[in-house]
Amino acid sequence: MLDTANPVRTDTHAQRKATVDRLTALSIRNKTNPFLDIAWPESLPEDVMWMPHELMTVHGTQAGATLTPEQLLRLSKWESIWFYSFNVHGERHLLRDVLNCMHSPGYEDVSDYMHHFVCEENNHSWFFSNFCTRYGGKVYVDKRSQFQAQPLKPAANAFLIFARILILEEMLDYYNVIIAADEAVPAVIRELNALHHYEEARHMAFGRAIVADLFDKARKNCADEDIDACRAYLDRYIGWCLDSLYYPAMYRDAGIADAYQFRNAVMADPGRQSHHEAMTAKVRKFFAKIGAA
Ligand SMILES: [Fe+2]
Ligand SMILES: [Fe+2]
């Protein structure tokens, strides 16, 4: 068991402390105010793509190839609304987890930074939900039940909490980088993605530092079978995140006939495999590096 009163001091622990000190200074120096900084147009043009084609769930699929250009345009709008809704729900859950840890034993060295992290995630959640309600008339409801935590030893559970956060943030950032650079999408969409990437770069640096340290502690405090269970859990969680991208209502809102069948067809299409690998390559590489894959 992890003795939280006397946590194991390791190189990874020293590294996480140095990282959060640097990130705290950066968060203070580079503080943004999205409530003032973002110029929201009255409406967005419906004759341009809101989501780059290469990031849409239909890309590379047989069913997607049957869509007309008009259907693809409509779907790009609703895939965009779901993507930002998914951000909002993901951030809601990670905020809950970070708030639970923030002033708990074992997190004293990172609690200061966590306040900045929470503040920034709250801002992201505001601008993404504002985007959805302004231009889509709603934030899509998250209908999937939450991915259940597996009851393991405290040190393993602590590792999984921050590993889950890192997986989600790395996946969303894959989108942010591509969308922010796409001149074809409306300017406000580029701006939101650029702003999110700007702050998420710090969150992911924090995530990598704390995950490496918590994995180190988990290995020292848990049996091999617990560590194997963690590895299997991470694989399932990555699969759960990828499945979440195929939100059924966005196909229906785009006016596609037999929306649910269509969704199942694109989701099962082997053409999606290379996209799934690209979205998760960075985080899988990180887990492999620290021995968690
Ligand atoms: Fe965020
Ligand atoms: Fe974040």
Side-chain angles (χ1 to χ4, degrees), residues 91 94 117 120-121 124 165 169 196 199-201 203-204:
E91 286 170 343
L94 71 83
F117 184 102
E120 288 158 8
E121 286 301 1
H124 303 165
I165 294 173
E169 294 198 320
H196 197 232
E199 294 190 334
E200 288 299 322
H203 295 190
M204 290 181 288

Side-chain angles (χ1 to χ4, degrees), residues 2 5 46 61 99 112 125 224 259 261 276:
L2 178 63
E46 303 256 348
T61 67
L99 284 166
D112 201 39
S125 190
D224 286 350
Q261 257 182 308
H276 292 173

